[in-house]
């Protein structure tokens, strides 16, 4: 379940119920009867999918019954006698809810469901890290943390070259290495370029083909990048551009970095950095600060 669109515990619970109901058992008469008995705080509604015609379920419940319904969903899972795996994407979204103590509430339910295994993932690295690594949060030390690193260049080239070869396209290793280094092996951006190259079907991929692909992508995103840029203050724009030009900034307060890009005082840089990190313009990596969007980086650098 992807909870990014949810804005409250009520919406989370509705999505959670819809995800679980009809997954543990097909929506036959017996399963439906079990579900109706399990969910006493709400109404189980079954309808036909308008496209496939297959039955789909939903829970209709009163907002004031949200916590009761959440209890019933966990009880339904626990009593299913099945080993369940639930993956929740963009889990950091629960920190944005106005409801109080959502993290503690979910943690208290999850720890008493031994047959249910949860996978939490999220795109906002710093928020996910805080939720699971800070002693102040209920999920502290409750999981095994796995960081997804870039696919190695060797493995990536083997994959890309295999499919290009099948299509009759030659992908020189030197050209691929330059692309991998330029995009730091980031899968989403690599795939964006490789997919376009595959569609172009050149006899042999050249640096010009790659540059043309990148230029087309950036041109298509220019309006979006301009809106993002104009949403920031002058100090934030100045720092963002400096980080993009530098590539990776290990010490954001170093006098050499501040002087090179004529930034303001360290205190001003830190205030701007805090906003850029919070809005995911910039990411803090083990090597230093980088602009999150690789294509945005190239736009800021003027290619």
């Amino acid at each position: 379940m992807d909870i990014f669109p949810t804005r409250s515990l009520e919406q989370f619970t509705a999505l959670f119920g819809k995800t679980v109901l009809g997954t543990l058992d097909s929506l036959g008469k017996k399963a439906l009867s079990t579900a109706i008995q399990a969910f006493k705080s709400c109404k189980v509604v079954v309808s036909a999918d308008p496209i496939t015609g297959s039955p789909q379920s939903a829970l209709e419940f009163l907002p004031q019954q949200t916590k009761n319904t959440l209890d019933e969903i966990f009880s339904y899972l626990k009593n299913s006698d099945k080993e369940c795996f639930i993956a929740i994407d963009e889990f950091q979204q629960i920190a944005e809810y106005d409801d109080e103590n959502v993290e503690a509430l979910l943690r208290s339910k999850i720890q008493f469901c031994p047959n249910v295994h949860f996978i939490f993932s999220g795109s906002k690295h710093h928020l996910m890290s805080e939720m699971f690594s800070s002693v102040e949060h209920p999920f502290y030390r409750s999981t095994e943390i796995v960081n997804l690193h870039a696919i190695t260049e060797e493995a990536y080239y083997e994959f890309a070259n295999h499919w290009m070869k099948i299509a009759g396209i030659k992908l020189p290793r030197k050209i691929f290495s330059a692309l991998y280094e330029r995009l730091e092996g980031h899968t989403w951006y690599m795939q964006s370029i490789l997919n376009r190259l595959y569609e172009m079907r050149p006899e042999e991929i050249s640096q010009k083909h790659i540059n043309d692909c990148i230029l087309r992508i950036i041109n298509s995103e220019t309006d979006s990048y301009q809106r993002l840029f104009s949403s920031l203050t002058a100090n934030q724009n100045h720092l963002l551009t400096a980080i993009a030009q530098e590539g990776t900034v290990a010490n954001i307060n170093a006098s050499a970095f501040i002087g090179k890009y004529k930034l303001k005082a360290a205190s001003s840089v830190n205030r701007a950095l805090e906003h850029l990190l919070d809005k995911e313009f910039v990411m803090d990596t083990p090597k230093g600060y980088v602009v999150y969007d690789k294509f945005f980086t190239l736009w800021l650098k003027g290619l």
Side-chain angles (χ1 to χ4, degrees), residues 213-228:
C213 284
I214 292 175
L215 187 60
R216 281 203 297 272
I217 291 170
I218 290 176
N219 284 341
S220 71
E221 295 290 341
T222 293
D223 288 346
S224 174
Y225 290 153
Q226 286 176 340
R227 283 195 297 272
L228 288 173

Side-chain angles (χ1 to χ4, degrees), residues 81-98:
D81 295 325
K82 291 185 177 180
E83 190 171 17
C84 308
F85 294 84
I86 298 178
I88 305 179
D89 195 16
E90 301 298 355
F91 187 66
Q92 76 281 338
Q93 185 65 23
I94 67 170
E96 303 293 328
Y97 297 167
D98 288 334

Side-chain angles (χ1 to χ4, degrees), residues 5-288:
T6 65
R7 295 292 179 268
S8 65
L9 180 63
E10 178 190 346
Q11 292 179 358
F12 172 93
T13 303
L15 178 59
F16 191 18
K18 183 178 179 180
T19 301
V20 170
L21 190 60
T23 302
L24 290 177
D25 303 282
S26 59
L27 285 173
K29 288 184 178 180
K30 183 179 179 182
L32 187 57
S33 175
T34 301
I36 290 173
Q37 291 176 16
F39 297 104
K40 299 184 183 301
S41 66
C42 56
K43 182 180 179 183
V44 180
V45 180
V46 180
S47 59
D49 186 290
I51 298 175
T52 65
S54 59
Q56 60 180 6
S57 61
L59 296 175
E60 290 185 0
F61 60 95
L62 298 173
Q64 61 266 32
Q65 292 289 333
T66 295
K67 291 184 179 180
N68 289 334
T69 303
L70 192 62
D71 282 340
E72 291 166 357
I73 294 171
F74 277 101
S75 179
Y76 180 67
L77 285 165
K78 185 177 180 181
N79 296 327
S80 68
D81 295 325
K82 291 185 177 180
E83 190 171 17
C84 308
F85 294 84
I86 298 178
I88 305 179
D89 195 16
E90 301 298 355
F91 187 66
Q92 76 281 338
Q93 185 65 23
I94 67 170
E96 303 293 328
Y97 297 167
D98 288 334
D99 310 84
E100 292 183 2
N101 304 319
V102 175
E103 289 181 53
L105 177 65
L106 292 178
R107 178 74 178 95
S108 68
K109 307 297 182 191
I110 288 170
Q111 66 184 347
F112 293 112
C113 284
N115 62 315
V116 185
H117 310 280
F118 284 86
I119 301 168
F120 307 104
S121 62
S123 59
K124 294 190 175 182
H125 182 271
H126 66 290
L127 291 179
M128 290 291 288
S129 179
E130 184 178 346
M131 288 175 74
F132 292 95
S133 302
S134 171
V135 70
E136 297 177 0
H137 288 261
F139 279 95
Y140 174 67
R141 301 277 180 171
S142 64
T143 61
E144 178 182 350
I145 296 176
V146 179
N147 290 306
L148 299 179
H149 300 290
I151 299 169
T152 64
E153 183 181 332
E154 185 66 35
Y156 215 142
Y157 177 72
E158 185 179 338
F159 164 80
N161 191 47
H162 168 76
W163 291 105
M164 292 296 184
K165 217 180 247 188
I166 289 176
I169 304 168
K170 186 177 180 182
L171 176 58
R173 179 59 187 267
K174 185 178 179 181
I175 294 296
F176 180 86
S177 293
L179 175 64
Y180 185 93
E181 183 178 350
R182 191 174 188 180
L183 298 177
E184 298 178 356
H186 195 298
T187 309
W188 192 90
Y189 303 98
M190 291 288 293
Q191 288 298 103
S192 295
I193 300 298
L194 292 171
N195 179 260
R196 283 166 174 77
L197 292 169
Y198 186 84
E199 289 179 344
M200 288 167 60
R201 302 293 173 102
E203 189 174 320
E204 180 174 336
I205 296 172
S206 66
Q207 188 59 52
K208 184 180 184 305
H209 289 126
I210 290 176
N211 290 341
D212 287 345
C213 284
I214 292 175
L215 187 60
R216 281 203 297 272
I217 291 170
I218 290 176
N219 284 341
S220 71
E221 295 290 341
T222 293
D223 288 346
S224 174
Y225 290 153
Q226 286 176 340
R227 283 195 297 272
L228 288 173
F229 199 67
S230 63
S231 71
L232 301 174
T233 66
N235 284 342
Q236 291 161 3
N237 278 332
H238 198 172
L239 179 59
L240 182 65
T241 304
I243 295 172
Q245 293 289 344
E246 196 71 8
T248 303
V249 182
N251 186 353
I252 204 81
N253 291 317
S255 57
F257 173 70
I258 291 175
K260 180 178 179 179
Y261 294 99
K262 297 181 173 57
L263 300 171
K264 292 188 175 181
S267 58
S268 178
V269 168
N270 290 333
R271 283 195 301 273
L273 178 64
E274 184 178 355
H275 180 83
L276 295 176
L277 286 170
D278 182 60
K279 298 301 180 182
E280 296 272 304
F281 282 92
V282 169
M283 182 169 60
D284 186 6
T285 73
K287 293 182 180 179

